């Protein structure tokens, strides 16, 4: 049995050192202390893939610390597990929540507000021994843009707000969990995914993408909460989820190809996964209020789930929409920098 508690401790020690930094302290030194020599890092657009602690510090963490200070970590979910993807028993740790700070300096061309902002994040770490070997960090940049008064997209179908953590307030799994509970959660997620794949096959046969609500009701509570990324928004109940996200997604995107996941695991009543990229699709027009492109575009997606009994109750979703739009010729950040006269990231 893999010592998941030891893996959690590796990540928590890293966070403790990173969060204690202030002023001109050496961020790269902290990353070097806690990461492997060939540390691999994945970030959303515009950071993409980086190798080594120094590159990650310079590309992401130094600008974040400079823009949002003092920076406060406010996690809502924390879990670990052996990924069910692939043939190796890789151990991953996931933390999800918000980084809170005063937005006093420009970030990615977004003008500062001098007010507090919440940077929504979900971070995955693959742990080897006493070091972090690999990280994937998803942050909701478009949410920061909206908080700063520069929302760049047409009106979204779901709600815009600071996403709360689990309704049950039990998402921080610092202590050892019953292995059977984690297995039950990941099995339910796998069953839910299988239902969706079967529905996709039926839709392709009959040419109808409006999935009946009964398919979702197999694995979801009626009062489910789907907390999607800014640009799509959050929805509540199966009915509104279908109206405000699933139907636009299914009917206005075509040529969908599932590319698999990098990691997928569960612990206790929680499960999560991410891919790079999970999904490829073609916008035909209408999704997110945007025109069609006819271009194969990748979606890098994170899902974090909470199980309540024998069904799923909550789902937090991150999508690298800036990357998906950039592949179709819309560089949102470049346009913002042009409009605000800030040419540097």
């Amino acid at each position: 049995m893999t010592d998941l508690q030891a893996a959690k401790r590796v990540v928590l020690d890293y966070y403790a050192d990173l969060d204690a930094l202030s002023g001109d302290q050496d961020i790269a030194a902290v990353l070097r202390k806690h990461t492997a020599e060939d540390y691999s890092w994945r970030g959303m657009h515009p950071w993409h893939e980086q190798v080594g602690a120094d590159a990650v510090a310079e590309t992401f963490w130094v600008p974040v610390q400079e823009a949002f200070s003092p920076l406060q970590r406010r996690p809502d979910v924390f879990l670990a597990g052996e990924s069910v993807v692939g043939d190796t028993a890789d151990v991953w740790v996931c933390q999800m929540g918000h980084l809170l700070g005063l937005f006093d300096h420009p970030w990615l061309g977004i003008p500062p507000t001098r007010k507090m902002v919440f940077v929504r994040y979900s971070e995955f770490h693959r742990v080897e021994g006493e070091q972090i070997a690999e990280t994937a960090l998803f942050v909701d940049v478009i949410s920061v843009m909206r908080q700063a008064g520069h929302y760049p997209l047409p009106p979204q179908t779901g709600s815009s707000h600071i996403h709360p953590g689990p309704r049950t307030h039990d998402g921080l799994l610092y202590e050892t969990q019953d292995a059977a509970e984690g297995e039950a959660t990941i099995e339910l997620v796998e069953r839910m995914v299988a239902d969706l794949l079967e529905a996709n096959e039926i839709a392709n046969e009959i040419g109808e993408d409006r999935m009946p609500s009964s398919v979702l009701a197999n694995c979801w509570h009626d009062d489910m909460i789907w907390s999607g990324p800014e640009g799509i928004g959050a929805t509540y109940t199966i009915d509104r989820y279908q109206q405000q996200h699933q139907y636009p997604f299914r009917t206005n995107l075509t040529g969908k190809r599932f590319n698999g996941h990098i990691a997928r695991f569960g612990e206790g009543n929680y499960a999560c996964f991410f891919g790079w990229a999970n999904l490829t699709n073609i916008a035909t027009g209408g999704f997110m209020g945007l025109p069609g492109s006819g271009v194969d575009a990748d979606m890098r997606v994170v899902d974090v789930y909470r199980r309540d009994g024998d069904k799923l109750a909550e789902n937090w979703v991150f999508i690298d929409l800036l990357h998906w739009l950039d592949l179709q010729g819309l560089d949102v950040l470049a346009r913002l920098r042009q409009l605000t006269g800030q040419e540097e990231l």
Side-chain angles (χ1 to χ4, degrees):
M1 187 69 180
T2 302
D3 190 350
L4 301 183
Q5 294 304 111
K8 292 178 188 178
R9 177 47 52 195
V10 168
V11 173
L12 290 173
D13 286 347
Y14 162 65
Y15 284 148
D17 286 350
L18 183 64
D19 296 346
L21 291 174
S22 63
D24 297 328
Q25 290 180 289
D26 191 348
I27 296 175
V30 169
L31 267 67
R32 287 194 296 269
K33 174 183 175 182
H34 294 279
T35 61
E37 186 174 347
D38 58 349
Y39 179 49
S40 171
W41 187 90
R42 293 179 174 93
M44 299 170 70
H45 180 88
W47 308 288
H48 302 289
E49 298 182 48
Q50 304 292 327
V51 177
D54 288 14
V56 175
E58 179 181 358
T59 302
F60 182 80
W61 282 111
V62 169
V64 166
Q65 293 275 9
E66 290 177 347
F68 310 106
S69 181
L71 200 62
Q72 184 181 110
R73 184 180 302 272
R74 301 177 67 89
D76 294 308
V77 173
F78 182 76
L79 70 153
E82 286 189 5
S83 175
V84 298
V85 177
D87 298 326
T88 59
D90 292 331
V91 176
W92 289 81
V93 178
C94 173
Q95 187 182 78
M96 183 196 78
H98 295 84
L99 298 174
L100 168 65
L102 293 173
F103 192 6
D104 283 350
H105 300 281
W107 185 59
L108 302 175
I110 307 171
T113 64
R114 301 195 73 250
K115 299 177 181 178
M116 63 189 296
V117 297
F118 288 85
V119 184
R120 185 177 179 228
Y121 74 92
S122 181
E123 190 167 29
F124 290 73
H125 300 285
R126 180 169 63 84
V127 176
E128 289 185 355
E130 297 182 358
Q131 290 187 313
I132 298 170
E134 182 178 354
T135 293
L137 176 56
F138 287 68
V139 296
D140 196 334
V141 176
I142 300 176
S143 173
V144 176
M145 295 175 74
R146 180 187 282 279
Q147 292 174 68
H150 295 277
Y151 184 67
L153 299 171
Q156 62 186 32
T157 49
S159 174
S160 174
H161 53 251
I162 302 302
H163 295 274
R167 180 183 182 186
T168 47
H169 303 283
D170 62 354
L172 299 174
L173 307 185
Y174 296 131
E175 305 300 326
T176 302
Q177 304 296 308
D178 183 350
E181 293 296 318
E183 292 169 3
T185 305
I186 199 69
E187 188 277 331
L188 178 58
V189 170
E190 300 279 4
R191 182 153 48 89
M192 180 270 297
V193 171
D195 284 350
L196 294 179
L197 293 176
E198 182 180 357
N200 289 343
E201 293 177 1
I202 295 173
N204 291 335
E205 291 175 2
I206 67 176
E208 173 55 69
D209 258 352
R210 286 185 169 255
M211 177 189 299
S213 61
S214 59
V215 175
L216 290 177
N218 288 333
C219 295
W220 290 95
H221 286 287
D222 290 338
D223 62 348
M224 65 174 287
I225 298 176
W226 190 86
S227 295
E230 198 74 42
I232 299 173
T235 70
Y236 174 47
T237 76
I238 287 178
D239 176 66
R240 295 299 170 87
Y241 165 74
Q242 290 194 289
Q243 292 180 34
Q244 296 172 357
H245 174 61
Q246 189 183 63
Y247 289 158
F249 187 90
R250 294 180 67 84
T251 59
N252 297 319
L253 300 175
T254 189
K256 299 182 187 71
R257 299 196 307 274
F258 175 61
N259 304 315
H261 294 137
I262 301 296
R264 188 168 67 250
F265 58 95
E267 187 183 27
N269 291 334
Y270 292 83
C272 55
F273 59 64
F274 83 93
W276 198 263
N278 316 37
L279 185 68
T280 302
N281 52 52
I282 301 171
T284 59
F287 182 62
M288 293 172 56
L290 298 170
S293 67
V295 174
D296 270 344
D298 291 337
M299 279 187 170
R300 303 162 173 169
V301 184
V302 164
D303 279 84
V304 178
Y305 299 92
R306 179 177 71 85
R307 174 177 60 86
D308 182 3
D310 61 355
K311 292 188 177 183
L312 298 170
E314 296 185 83
N315 182 199
W316 297 266
V317 177
F318 296 73
I319 304 176
D320 191 349
L321 291 175
L322 293 180
H323 176 62
W324 183 75
L325 292 169
D326 185 59
L327 292 174
Q328 299 170 77
L330 176 56
D331 187 336
V332 172
L333 294 176
R335 185 175 64 179
L336 175 68
R337 293 194 300 273
Q338 184 179 43
L339 291 173
T340 60
Q342 300 185 65
E343 296 301 324
E344 298 299 323
L345 290 179

